[in-house]
Amino acid sequence: MDETRGPSLLDAIRDFSENASPLDFVLIAQHWEMFLTGIGYTVLLVAVSLVIGGAISLPLAVARAYRIRYVNQAIWAYVYLFRGTPLLVQLYIIYYGLGQFEPVRESFLWPVLREPLWCTLIAFVLNTAAYTTEIFRGAIEAVPHGEVEAARAYGMSSWHRTTRIVLPNALRRALPAYSNEIIFMLHGSVVASTVTIVDILGAGRILNSKYYLAYEGFLAAAVLYMLLVYLVTRGFRLWEWRWHAHLRPREA
Amino acid sequence: MDAVIAYLPAILQGTAITIAVALCSVVLAVFLGLLGAWGKIADSRTANTVTGAYTTLIRGVPDLVLMLLLFYGGQQLLNDLGFATGWWGYVEINHFTAGVFTIGFIYGAYMTETFRGAYLAIPRGQIEAGIACGMSGGIVFRRIVWPQLVRYALPGFGNNWLVLLKTTALVSVLGLHELVWESFTAGRSTRQLFTFFFVTLVIYLVLTAISDVGLRWLDRRYSAGVRRA
């Protein structure tokens, strides 16, 4: 008895989803594995490029803020180039463009530069490093001068001044702006789907073109991105609460 | 280099379309932004809810996703509506309109926040003083609110404009023959994709540099009479 009722109820749901409801939810649910892969790629791309980009940007920001000659101008030019142009074109020039040169195609790097995933990672790292450099530079320059003077009066070397006084203070200050950069990176990562990577939007695009749909895949992608953005903002609020503990109003 | 010269007319035409998309959508975005800011500030629960949903929804979803959704889904919706009501037949949205509407709609949400912040920065007493002097709502807006709104909103507006300008590159994914699309086509047929994308990067840099100059000029104009430290 139960065995006949179970499938028929499922069939009814499927029939309703396909024919009556404006959106075919069952079809989206059936492809959950593809969307899960998509989430994996999006999170991987964003997380790896943020970590590497952040690590690169820190010394660059220090060099900019301390106005180290020649290096400062070179970093300025790099940041200006990457902040002034669309991420899509940066990705295209690395993925499609580099193959134009014979030496690149014959070098040992070609197996890497031929892969869309590596190209996307390179483009994202360079892009986020440029934006993060500006954020960190601003934060370093906002450290009160008196603190640096005090450190100098204590006889700290410039290395100690930077690592013990300036950077901990600056990174804490940079947190709100940096959380914005994470969201921007998450939003920007959708261009990966234009070079055949199956990120969240890539999964949505495949679903739509496979079944010739207009809404389902994109709507599912939109909801998933919103969920990720929500998680990031929530996480950062917690982190800020911890790191800015000294700024919290004192509890009675 | 010869290839670039040969394709220069196409590239320049693409640049013109990119600029046109950016300018049309920024006008729409400012309009929606003012409307949205008004809705957020207004004493109406409904207006607050609608504009709140608009800004959170738009700012939570990446622009390309929204663009594809509005381009393909919007077209489908229009046709379904037309079919259901019988008021209009098959419509096809062209790429330019779709691009302008989606970008304008997306950046309208960012502009809403910019304008709301700018409005809240105007000291409340000035508006009250205006009313006390017997000015009507329209005059208070034109003489007191607007000039200062522009001044306070300019930095945020400038940022939004620069991001918007770069977002127009995404319209090439929809198939609009703008700068990125043209250089992709030219690069593929000459097998010199790097050269053409490099030209594209330079053109975008020139556009942002020109915008910087323009925004600085506007800033000077609207901060006349403000003392700077």
Side-chain angles (χ1 to χ4, degrees), chain B residues 56-79:
Chain B
T56 26
L57 216 68
I58 296 293
R59 297 195 308 165
V61 181
D63 31 20
L64 185 60
V65 179
L66 274 173
M67 218 177 263
L68 292 169
L69 188 63
L70 289 177
F71 182 57
Y72 292 107
Q75 171 136 357
Q76 179 94 23
L77 192 68
L78 263 183
N79 282 321

Side-chain angles (χ1 to χ4, degrees), chain B:
Chain B
M1 207 58 225
D2 294 340
V4 175
I5 291 166
Y7 279 92
L8 201 59
I11 300 289
L12 287 181
Q13 206 180 346
T15 313
I17 292 182
T18 292
I19 295 172
V21 170
L23 286 179
C24 291
S25 38
V26 84
V27 169
L28 182 62
V30 166
F31 175 72
L32 286 176
L34 286 173
L35 209 66
W38 174 74
K40 278 208 159 183
I41 294 160
D43 281 330
S44 146
R45 182 76 58 85
T46 337
N48 294 347
T49 319
V50 170
T51 47
Y54 170 54
T55 51
T56 26
L57 216 68
I58 296 293
R59 297 195 308 165
V61 181
D63 31 20
L64 185 60
V65 179
L66 274 173
M67 218 177 263
L68 292 169
L69 188 63
L70 289 177
F71 182 57
Y72 292 107
Q75 171 136 357
Q76 179 94 23
L77 192 68
L78 263 183
N79 282 321
D80 285 350
L81 277 180
F83 183 73
T85 57
W87 288 342
W88 60 79
Y90 179 75
V91 240
E92 197 172 314
I93 310 175
N94 71 37
H95 296 107
F96 186 86
T97 322
V100 166
F101 269 86
T102 44
I103 296 180
F105 189 64
I106 293 166
Y107 285 87
Y110 291 91
M111 292 289 185
T112 297
E113 291 300 329
T114 304
F115 289 136
R116 190 184 68 100
Y119 180 82
L120 294 180
I122 300 170
R124 184 89 199 118
Q126 294 189 6
I127 296 165
E128 278 166 12
I131 296 168
C133 287
M135 290 185 185
S136 70
I139 292 181
V140 168
F141 182 78
R142 210 185 58 205
R143 292 211 185 136
I144 297 173
V145 176
W146 180 249
Q148 300 193 80
L149 188 76
V150 175
R151 180 193 301 159
Y152 289 127
L154 256 181
F157 170 84
N159 270 339
N160 288 344
W161 159 254
L162 291 175
V163 181
L164 183 149
L165 184 64
K166 286 180 278 169
T167 303
T168 56
L170 292 179
V171 188
S172 67
V173 178
L174 301 185
L176 179 69
H177 296 195
E178 45 72 84
L179 177 56
V180 179
W181 194 92
E182 291 287 2
S183 40
F184 204 173
T185 317
R188 243 192 321 212
S189 50
T190 54
R191 302 174 137 264
Q192 293 188 8
L193 278 161
F194 188 91
T195 319
F196 279 98
F197 282 136
F198 188 75
V199 171
T200 310
L201 285 184
V202 172
I203 292 176
Y204 270 107
L205 279 182
V206 170
L207 291 181
T208 35
I210 293 174
S211 310
D212 268 337
V213 174
L215 286 168
R216 218 167 295 153
W217 179 78
L218 272 180
D219 187 47
R220 255 209 317 277
R221 213 180 117 82
Y222 276 94
S223 342
V226 178
R227 247 184 287 165
R228 285 259 162 88

